[in-house]
mmCIF file of all heavy atoms in Angstrom:
data_model
loop_
_atom_site.group_PDB
_atom_site.id
_atom_site.type_symbol
_atom_site.label_atom_id
_atom_site.label_comp_id
_atom_site.label_asym_id
_atom_site.label_seq_id
_atom_site.Cartn_x
_atom_site.Cartn_y
_atom_site.Cartn_z
ATOM 1 N N GLN A 107 109.347 104.784 126.748
ATOM 2 C CA GLN A 107 110.372 105.731 126.339
ATOM 3 C C GLN A 107 110.503 106.893 127.366
ATOM 4 O O GLN A 107 111.349 107.736 127.178
ATOM 5 C CB GLN A 107 110.064 106.268 124.936
ATOM 6 C CG GLN A 107 110.234 105.212 123.884
ATOM 7 C CD GLN A 107 110.037 105.776 122.496
ATOM 8 O OE1 GLN A 107 110.229 106.946 122.286
ATOM 9 N NE2 GLN A 107 109.667 104.925 121.560
ATOM 10 N N GLY A 115 114.488 102.543 126.395
ATOM 11 C CA GLY A 115 113.344 102.713 125.481
ATOM 12 C C GLY A 115 113.801 103.182 124.112
ATOM 13 O O GLY A 115 113.290 102.694 123.076
ATOM 14 N N ARG A 116 114.743 104.104 124.078
ATOM 15 C CA ARG A 116 115.280 104.578 122.765
ATOM 16 C C ARG A 116 116.012 103.447 122.058
ATOM 17 O O ARG A 116 115.915 103.303 120.845
ATOM 18 C CB ARG A 116 116.178 105.764 122.990
ATOM 19 C CG ARG A 116 115.418 107.055 123.272
ATOM 20 C CD ARG A 116 116.335 108.291 123.247
ATOM 21 N NE ARG A 116 117.416 108.233 124.221
ATOM 22 C CZ ARG A 116 117.313 108.610 125.480
ATOM 23 N NH1 ARG A 116 116.175 109.089 125.949
ATOM 24 N NH2 ARG A 116 118.352 108.531 126.290
ATOM 25 N N TRP A 117 116.736 102.629 122.838
ATOM 26 C CA TRP A 117 117.466 101.506 122.261
ATOM 27 C C TRP A 117 116.491 100.512 121.650
ATOM 28 O O TRP A 117 116.739 99.970 120.563
ATOM 29 C CB TRP A 117 118.352 100.839 123.322
ATOM 30 C CG TRP A 117 119.151 99.679 122.804
ATOM 31 C CD1 TRP A 117 120.332 99.770 122.127
ATOM 32 C CD2 TRP A 117 118.846 98.302 122.926
ATOM 33 N NE1 TRP A 117 120.767 98.516 121.821
ATOM 34 C CE2 TRP A 117 119.874 97.583 122.310
ATOM 35 C CE3 TRP A 117 117.799 97.602 123.536
ATOM 36 C CZ2 TRP A 117 119.901 96.198 122.243
ATOM 37 C CZ3 TRP A 117 117.827 96.223 123.467
ATOM 38 C CH2 TRP A 117 118.870 95.535 122.828
ATOM 39 N N VAL A 118 115.377 100.251 122.311
ATOM 40 C CA VAL A 118 114.368 99.323 121.808
ATOM 41 C C VAL A 118 113.817 99.842 120.489
ATOM 42 O O VAL A 118 113.644 99.079 119.506
ATOM 43 C CB VAL A 118 113.233 99.118 122.859
ATOM 44 C CG1 VAL A 118 112.001 98.490 122.256
ATOM 45 C CG2 VAL A 118 113.759 98.260 124.000
ATOM 46 N N VAL A 119 113.490 101.113 120.417
ATOM 47 C CA VAL A 119 113.008 101.741 119.174
ATOM 48 C C VAL A 119 114.050 101.545 118.067
ATOM 49 O O VAL A 119 113.734 101.189 116.938
ATOM 50 C CB VAL A 119 112.664 103.214 119.380
ATOM 51 C CG1 VAL A 119 112.440 103.929 118.075
ATOM 52 C CG2 VAL A 119 111.452 103.356 120.288
ATOM 53 N N GLU A 120 115.300 101.771 118.412
ATOM 54 C CA GLU A 120 116.385 101.621 117.422
ATOM 55 C C GLU A 120 116.475 100.181 116.912
ATOM 56 O O GLU A 120 116.715 99.929 115.718
ATOM 57 C CB GLU A 120 117.705 102.024 118.080
ATOM 58 C CG GLU A 120 118.891 102.002 117.151
ATOM 59 C CD GLU A 120 120.176 102.411 117.857
ATOM 60 O OE1 GLU A 120 120.144 103.304 118.715
ATOM 61 O OE2 GLU A 120 121.213 101.786 117.568
ATOM 62 N N GLN A 121 116.236 99.191 117.795
ATOM 63 C CA GLN A 121 116.283 97.802 117.371
ATOM 64 C C GLN A 121 115.148 97.510 116.394
ATOM 65 O O GLN A 121 115.337 96.818 115.395
ATOM 66 C CB GLN A 121 116.171 96.847 118.585
ATOM 67 C CG GLN A 121 117.311 97.000 119.566
ATOM 68 C CD GLN A 121 118.684 97.169 118.897
ATOM 69 O OE1 GLN A 121 119.143 96.263 118.215
ATOM 70 N NE2 GLN A 121 119.304 98.299 119.123
ATOM 71 N N ARG A 122 113.977 98.079 116.646
ATOM 72 C CA ARG A 122 112.844 97.905 115.729
ATOM 73 C C ARG A 122 113.170 98.515 114.359
ATOM 74 O O ARG A 122 112.878 97.929 113.319
ATOM 75 C CB ARG A 122 111.581 98.538 116.296
ATOM 76 C CG ARG A 122 111.036 97.753 117.476
ATOM 77 C CD ARG A 122 109.689 98.355 117.930
ATOM 78 N NE ARG A 122 109.261 97.650 119.106
ATOM 79 C CZ ARG A 122 109.068 98.215 120.298
ATOM 80 N NH1 ARG A 122 109.245 99.508 120.452
ATOM 81 N NH2 ARG A 122 108.691 97.509 121.311
ATOM 82 N N GLN A 123 113.774 99.686 114.380
ATOM 83 C CA GLN A 123 114.145 100.358 113.106
ATOM 84 C C GLN A 123 115.162 99.523 112.354
ATOM 85 O O GLN A 123 115.078 99.372 111.138
ATOM 86 C CB GLN A 123 114.644 101.761 113.398
ATOM 87 C CG GLN A 123 113.594 102.707 113.884
ATOM 88 C CD GLN A 123 114.169 104.009 114.447
ATOM 89 O OE1 GLN A 123 115.352 104.125 114.708
ATOM 90 N NE2 GLN A 123 113.295 104.989 114.659
#
Side-chain angles (χ1 to χ4, degrees):
Q107 291 185 25
R116 285 190 301 274
W117 181 81
V118 164
V119 168
E120 184 180 322
Q121 299 318 297
R122 289 186 185 119
Q123 293 167 344

